[in-house]
Amino acid sequence: MTDAAANAPILPRTTSLYELDARTVRRNRSEKRFRLYGLAAVMLGILALILLLVSILSNGASSFRQTYLTIPVTLSAERLDPSGNRDPAEMARVTTFGYLPVIAQSLIDFVAAEGIETDLNPQQFAGMISGEAPAQVRQRVLNNPDLVGQTVQLQVLVGGRIDGFFKGRVSMSSAARDSNVSPEQLLLAQALADNGAMVTRFNWRFVTAPDASDNRPEAAGLGVAIIGSVYMMLVVLFLALPIGVAASIYLEEFAPKNRLTDVIEVNISNLAAVPSIVFGILGLAIFINFAGLPQSAPIVGGLVLTLMTLPTIIIATRASLRAVPPSIRAAALGLGASKMQSVFHHVLPLAAPGILTGTIIGLAQALGETAPLLLIGMVAFVREYPAAPLEGFFDPASALPVQVYNWTQRSDPAFVERASGAIIVLLVFLIFMNAMAVMLRRRFERRW
Amino acid sequence: MPLLWTLTIVLLLGAAGYVLGRRRAIASAGGDVRLLHSLPGYYGTNVAMFTIVPALLVLSVWMLIQPMIIQSQITAMISDSAIEAAGSRDLVMTDVRRVANGLDSAIAEGGLTEDEARALRTDSSDIRARLAETGVALGGDVTPEVLNAAQQYRTLSRTGNLLLSATVLVLAGLGLGYAYSRTHQEFRARNAVERAILSILMLASTIAILTTVGIVFSMLFETFNFFQLYPWQDFFFGLEWRPSFEGGSDLGLIPLLWGTIYISIIALLVSVPIGLFAAIYMAEYSSKRTRSIVKPLIEVLAGIPTIVYGLFALITVGPMLRDYFAEPLGLGTSSSSVMTAGIVMGIMLIPFISSLSDDIINAVPQSLRDGSYGLGATQSETVKQVILPAALPGIVGAVLLAASRAIGETMIVVLGAGAAARLDLNPFEAMTTVTVKIVGQLTGDTDFSSPEALVAFALGLTLFVITLGLNVFALYIVRKYREQYE
């Protein structure tokens, strides 16, 4: 520096201060450019977030609406109850295949009665109705055999392609190329919709119904997945919170400074960075292959997620224990409390809001975790609702994020809409949990 | 549920112990609480603890060991020919367990009586049909050997459960009696209780170690099995990944590792500049107000589950890249590609890089900035020539942590990168990663004695070692840097 200054002659400034010299202009320009880069980076980040959310919302919002057909269905006695004695056991012999023609015939009659012109054959009429509809009607009839022989106003699901037509996923030109639906069917659907018989309305069944098979996307729902996720969160909450808090109390308040505690601390920070899929391998090897717990059970998922969430909870708990000022401990000890009493009666209650916030954030993380659950068999196709807790923890179930993965692996494009819809449900849960954490922090945060 | 009953009885005994212990302590002090060594509640807790803790410990250990003992006894009953017929020992055992469970639920539903279940013979009745009547579906016909084993299995677990309940209840009673007899005015109940609580706390903190040990051992063990079936040189240096379940598969790590590294590099190329510039902007340029809005918004990206990013890659980014870049440029027709997965993973890592760098930049002392401004440097010159060099070790640490995240990431690559193992340079080609193959080899029905399934454990161990190494290295760098200013 000094050399450079000595060698370069310092020239007197000949221009006005109001006119910037070339070098300053260049430096200012570079300054502005740099600042712009920063701004662009921030904007890109936010843009990515917006793009992500818009993509999911625009694809998934329609899964909360479903097209239903409301027609008078004549539940003909000779078809549904051949023996004629209204015995549910006898009637159960008529499978769902027996119910489809009944509904299709009713649709044909309805179309004829309404005076809608169409040249579809009966098979194409039947093709407009969801494969799930006969099963639902059958269940209804078996529960109430007196319905047989009557004509009842029924609301039935229509097929996925017809539903896609009303949601803009299927068009006349795509139907012409599709073997599953014909443009004539779409024309009839349009006529029925103008007529008011076919309506697209809010669909609770998306949240409550179980999963459905590959060719019935219109009937697939999240019921089992939501229950599975809730069960796993319960397991995580009841295991990770007490264990995490106990471990943190020991490490923060009691542990002597020695080799063992050092090892534990390094261990915890490393565990937080282990890829989630490795926990899946652990779960598969230890909980399923070694301990013999059932596959796809929420208890196994819960245990794996507990191990994953523990580091998060321990780190958060230790931070909030550390934030409690030493004066509180000193005061408690001064009044004759034992060390244990000072921790459990004074420090822990003061740290509780922070611990809860950390726990909720850990739970939210666990709720969205997918990879380890794939390895312990949660991808299985489960249609049965698991039983009530304790026993239900051992029943096969799915989980919200795994259900998303599962639906992305299906061939029918209607499942993409379902997967996005499932993500919306997942995000709603996450937003709710995070909002609760923020609220807790705002409400109870104390600064000393 | 007899187990639940045992548990309830133990807990009730504990509650009774609390009341009894407390009362006896007060009585021993003649009703004057001040004469006791500890508060009366501690005497109660002490008795309750002695009742519950040993009983529960025995219960959990027993439940862990009993299935193993029964398993080994039953396996001894099954002949080698039956194992060969079914394909593997595990499959026979699964059958045995299913038949046993089927008999249990048939009894529960009233389709069979206890004696009938014990006397069932394959030659006299069709087990499969009888169980199907009560709603228990079996895959195939039941051989006499399996039925025999299943009946034995049931008897063994019944006696085991009975013994368990008896032992646990006796133990709870003994604990209660012992602690109750020790309860006295002079007894140091608080110290006893606190010692016990301390050991529980200590136990909880070792779970972290147990988890690590579990991870390492579960993978080491199976990896060892894998290398007995498949030469390790071929695994680590093989250039082909072509598993076939008829045997003779090529299971080379290199193509998977290449896919993993390629995708991670693209992810870092996306996230490091964006994250770093965003951090610089937020730390050095933006007003407090902007920062308070922008920072949480970017951090929302960190809270979004990876499956959401995966779906984003699958339905939006993948088709977009294919339609606007890959196909016009003639580079490929696949919507899942290295680029898709890399870009989406990059987006996921932005908040990771930006918030770590933000902390590091903020930790650079203000005096350095002031010195630079005092010499006439502009803000950007200060950032480039003073702050970044000072923060460099920390930023390198952050990038390494992000790299370890990228390498271990699963859902984005499962949905965005494809499944074809390929050694290629074209970023618009589908490639696969270590994590994708772990998922691929271990989902669905897997036979844990074939190298095609066991290879997943070797892959997992490789992944674990790489990410752990990166993490340790990154933390070392970050810690070393931090010491300079504190």
Side-chain angles (χ1 to χ4, degrees):
Chain A
M1 277 305 261
T2 46
D3 286 353
N7 294 341
I10 300 167
L11 299 171
R13 201 184 169 97
T14 52
T15 54
S16 156
L17 268 180
Y18 290 106
E19 278 172 43
L20 300 174
D21 59 32
R23 187 161 156 273
T24 315
V25 169
R26 206 177 62 236
R27 285 177 65 201
N28 283 352
R29 211 182 287 139
S30 129
E31 168 70 30
K32 209 177 265 171
R33 217 182 307 127
F34 193 75
R35 198 190 161 113
L36 221 66
Y37 289 154
L39 195 62
V42 171
M43 288 300 155
L44 269 176
I46 294 174
L47 187 77
L49 176 68
I50 292 171
L51 204 67
L52 179 75
L53 293 181
V54 166
S55 143
I56 299 294
L57 285 179
S58 64
N59 272 300
S62 59
S63 60
F64 291 92
R65 297 170 61 72
Q66 199 66 47
T67 311
Y68 287 89
L69 175 66
T70 314
I71 47 165
V73 176
T74 311
L75 298 165
S76 94
E78 66 256 36
R79 283 219 178 164
L80 304 184
D81 188 16
S83 56
N85 51 14
R86 300 287 186 274
D87 175 14
E90 294 267 335
M91 281 162 59
R93 296 238 174 106
V94 180
T95 59
T96 46
F97 294 110
Y99 280 79
L100 183 58
V102 173
I103 301 172
Q105 190 56 50
S106 302
L107 176 59
I108 294 170
D109 295 344
F110 178 76
V111 169
E114 292 288 314
I116 302 169
E117 297 263 331
T118 177
D119 49 2
L120 293 178
N121 60 32
Q123 197 143 21
Q124 281 171 312
F125 271 107
M128 291 178 66
I129 292 158
S130 162
E132 197 72 9
Q136 285 169 5
V137 174
R138 177 171 182 264
Q139 201 53 48
R140 193 157 161 187
V141 169
L142 290 184
N143 287 343
N144 186 6
D146 295 336
L147 287 177
V148 172
Q150 296 180 19
T151 300
V152 272
Q153 197 75 9
L154 284 185
Q155 200 174 47
V156 293
L157 271 174
V158 302
R161 299 297 155 97
I162 307 285
D163 179 49
F165 173 62
F166 290 108
K167 290 175 180 170
R169 195 172 55 237
V170 175
S171 64
M172 288 295 171
S173 55
S174 78
R177 279 178 274 122
D178 192 340
S179 63
N180 290 320
V181 69
S182 67
E184 290 77 36
Q185 283 177 318
L186 296 186
L187 282 176
L188 174 60
Q190 188 60 55
L192 284 169
D194 294 341
N195 182 282
M198 209 178 258
V199 280
T200 308
R201 60 170 180 78
F202 188 77
N203 177 28
W204 264 117
R205 283 183 52 84
F206 178 61
V207 189
T208 56
D211 194 7
S213 65
D214 251 4
N215 42 17
R216 294 177 189 170
E218 65 278 359
L222 288 169
V224 176
I226 290 177
I227 295 179
S229 274
V230 169
Y231 280 7
M232 285 195 296
M233 290 306 108
L234 284 178
V235 174
V236 174
L237 186 65
F238 281 104
L239 287 177
L241 183 59
I243 295 177
V245 170
S248 323
I249 290 178
Y250 179 71
L251 292 175
E252 202 54 45
E253 305 282 342
F254 293 101
K257 268 268 154 233
N258 60 17
R259 186 63 68 78
L260 181 70
T261 35
D262 273 355
V263 170
I264 294 178
E265 295 202 9
V266 171
N267 223 304
I268 289 171
S269 59
N270 278 335
L271 267 188
V274 169
S276 59
I277 189 143
V278 170
F279 283 96
I281 299 181
L282 169 82
L284 179 68
I286 305 250
F287 297 130
I288 292 181
N289 284 357
F290 180 72
L293 288 170
Q295 284 217 336
S296 25
I299 181 83
V300 182
L303 285 171
V304 170
L305 294 180
T306 298
L307 296 181
M308 281 189 59
T309 331
L310 261 182
T312 317
I313 293 185
I314 290 180
I315 290 168
T317 306
R318 291 188 66 177
S320 45
L321 285 176
R322 221 173 293 140
V324 176
S327 58
I328 303 268
R329 295 179 185 83
L333 294 177
L335 287 173
S338 69
K339 177 87 179 148
M340 196 66 79
Q341 284 169 329
S342 82
V343 170
F344 278 92
H345 296 175
H346 303 283
V347 178
L348 197 58
L350 288 173
I355 296 174
L356 277 184
T357 313
T359 308
I360 294 174
I361 289 174
L363 277 182
Q365 250 174 40
L367 182 64
E369 201 52 68
T370 322
L373 302 182
L374 295 183
L375 296 193
I376 55 167
M378 302 286 283
V379 262
F381 177 69
V382 184
R383 264 192 71 92
E384 306 269 319
Y385 293 99
L390 278 198
E391 276 155 84
F393 287 154
F394 294 87
D395 286 347
S398 184
L400 265 178
V402 183
Q403 191 70 65
V404 174
Y405 169 75
N406 203 335
W407 282 342
T408 59
Q409 304 305 100
R410 310 259 177 104
S411 50
D412 195 317
F415 277 111
V416 169
E417 169 206 278
R418 297 269 146 177
S420 305
I423 283 193
I424 295 177
V425 175
L426 179 66
L427 288 181
V428 166
F429 275 106
L430 288 181
I431 290 171
F432 175 72
M433 291 168 88
N434 281 301
M436 210 155 73
V438 170
M439 228 176 61
L440 267 175
R441 194 181 296 160
R442 290 256 166 89
R443 177 91 175 65
F444 294 106
E445 193 178 48
R446 273 173 93 156
R447 287 194 185 279
W448 276 284
Chain B
M1 231 190 170
L3 188 67
L4 202 66
W5 277 111
T6 321
L7 211 68
T8 321
I9 293 174
V10 169
L11 291 181
L12 283 177
L13 273 177
Y18 180 85
V19 177
L20 286 174
R22 193 170 182 277
R23 195 174 293 163
R24 182 172 163 124
I26 295 175
S28 76
D32 188 352
V33 178
R34 288 172 303 172
L35 295 178
L36 290 170
H37 169 268
S38 314
L39 291 171
Y42 280 109
Y43 291 92
T45 313
N46 182 48
V47 177
M49 226 167 50
F50 266 92
T51 316
I52 297 174
V53 174
L56 286 194
L57 269 181
V58 168
L59 184 80
S60 42
V61 171
W62 191 304
M63 280 183 52
L64 213 71
I65 293 177
Q66 179 178 316
M68 288 197 275
I69 294 178
I70 293 182
Q71 179 105 358
S72 67
Q73 292 228 358
I74 299 292
T75 332
M77 285 178 63
I78 294 170
S79 65
D80 288 342
S81 60
I83 291 168
E84 251 166 58
S88 85
R89 192 173 288 267
D90 286 346
L91 288 177
V92 183
M93 283 311 295
T94 319
D95 267 1
V96 170
R97 234 172 284 141
R98 288 190 62 163
V99 173
N101 288 341
L103 290 175
D104 278 343
S105 47
I107 290 167
E109 287 185 17
L112 281 170
T113 63
E114 192 62 46
D115 293 329
E116 275 177 342
R118 218 166 296 156
L120 272 183
R121 285 290 165 266
T122 38
D123 39 1
S124 61
S125 58
D126 184 1
I127 309 283
R128 194 174 163 196
R130 285 202 71 168
L131 289 184
E133 270 171 35
T134 49
V136 183
L138 288 180
D141 274 327
V142 182
T143 62
E145 204 172 351
V146 167
L147 178 67
N148 219 337
Q151 282 162 338
Q152 184 69 20
Y153 182 88
R154 287 193 61 234
T155 352
L156 278 178
S157 30
R158 272 174 64 87
T159 29
N161 285 343
L162 247 139
L163 262 174
L164 170 64
S165 300
T167 321
V168 165
L169 289 183
V170 166
L171 210 64
L174 283 179
L176 189 132
Y178 173 69
Y180 183 71
S181 69
R182 283 219 304 174
T183 305
H184 187 261
Q185 185 186 351
E186 299 290 313
F187 179 60
R188 295 173 168 241
R190 183 174 56 74
N191 305 36
V193 169
E194 288 187 350
R195 248 196 322 273
I197 291 181
L198 190 63
S199 49
I200 291 176
L201 297 183
M202 227 166 359
L203 208 69
S205 68
T206 50
I207 287 202
I209 293 199
L210 283 183
T211 310
T212 315
V213 172
I215 287 176
V216 172
F217 271 89
S218 61
M219 289 194 301
L220 262 186
F221 183 66
E222 301 284 11
T223 306
F224 182 74
N225 282 346
F226 170 64
F227 285 139
Q228 304 233 299
L229 295 168
Y230 193 84
W232 63 270
Q233 300 93 327
D234 290 4
F235 173 69
F236 283 114
F237 304 111
L239 296 179
E240 291 282 345
W241 175 273
R242 215 180 295 113
S244 84
F245 278 91
E246 290 110 51
S249 349
D250 289 315
L251 301 170
L253 175 68
I254 303 287
L256 308 186
L257 211 54
W258 167 241
T260 307
I261 291 171
Y262 200 2
I263 291 173
S264 305
I265 287 174
I266 291 179
L268 289 180
L269 284 180
V270 171
S271 61
V272 171
I274 296 182
L276 197 56
F277 270 111
I280 290 171
Y281 186 81
M282 285 191 290
E284 301 288 323
Y285 287 101
S286 74
S287 64
K288 263 220 167 98
R289 234 180 84 86
T290 329
R291 187 182 152 88
S292 71
I293 299 170
V294 168
K295 201 170 151 69
L297 265 183
I298 289 195
E299 268 159 21
V300 166
L301 281 174
I304 292 177
T306 53
I307 179 78
V308 183
Y309 286 103
L311 192 71
F312 182 53
L314 184 77
I315 64 178
T316 309
V317 178
M320 212 165 72
L321 283 178
R322 181 193 57 200
D323 295 345
Y324 296 108
F325 293 95
E327 278 185 343
L329 296 174
L331 285 171
T333 53
S334 160
S335 76
S336 49
S337 66
V338 172
M339 211 57 181
T340 309
I343 288 178
V344 174
M345 204 189 277
I347 294 175
M348 182 195 83
L349 292 176
I350 290 173
F352 198 73
I353 301 251
S354 81
S355 60
L356 279 178
S357 315
D358 195 25
D359 293 347
I360 293 158
I361 289 172
N362 279 328
V364 174
Q366 186 62 31
S367 59
L368 290 187
R369 288 186 189 85
D370 292 345
S372 169
Y373 295 147
L375 289 171
T378 64
Q379 236 173 328
S380 67
E381 284 161 356
T382 307
V383 170
K384 278 185 275 193
Q385 290 165 19
V386 177
I387 295 177
L388 283 187
L392 194 62
I395 290 171
V396 171
V399 172
L400 286 177
L401 282 180
S404 124
R405 267 285 191 83
I407 288 172
E409 173 48 46
T410 310
M411 290 325 291
I412 295 177
V413 283
V414 164
L415 292 176
R422 212 179 254 131
L423 271 171
D424 204 335
L425 273 177
N426 180 358
F428 289 100
E429 199 75 73
M431 279 183 216
T432 198
T433 68
V434 175
T435 48
V436 173
K437 284 304 158 197
I438 296 177
V439 171
Q441 301 307 104
L442 287 184
T443 42
D445 290 325
T446 34
D447 169 14
F448 286 100
S449 53
S450 70
E452 287 78 18
L454 289 175
V455 69
F457 293 94
L459 291 175
L461 194 61
T462 316
L463 187 70
F464 180 70
V465 170
I466 293 176
T467 51
L468 193 68
L470 272 175
N471 273 309
V472 170
F473 186 50
L475 287 180
Y476 168 76
I477 288 182
V478 169
R479 200 164 294 161
K480 197 172 168 194
Y481 159 72
R482 270 202 192 132
E483 283 164 2
Q484 289 180 4
Y485 293 115
E486 274 171 16

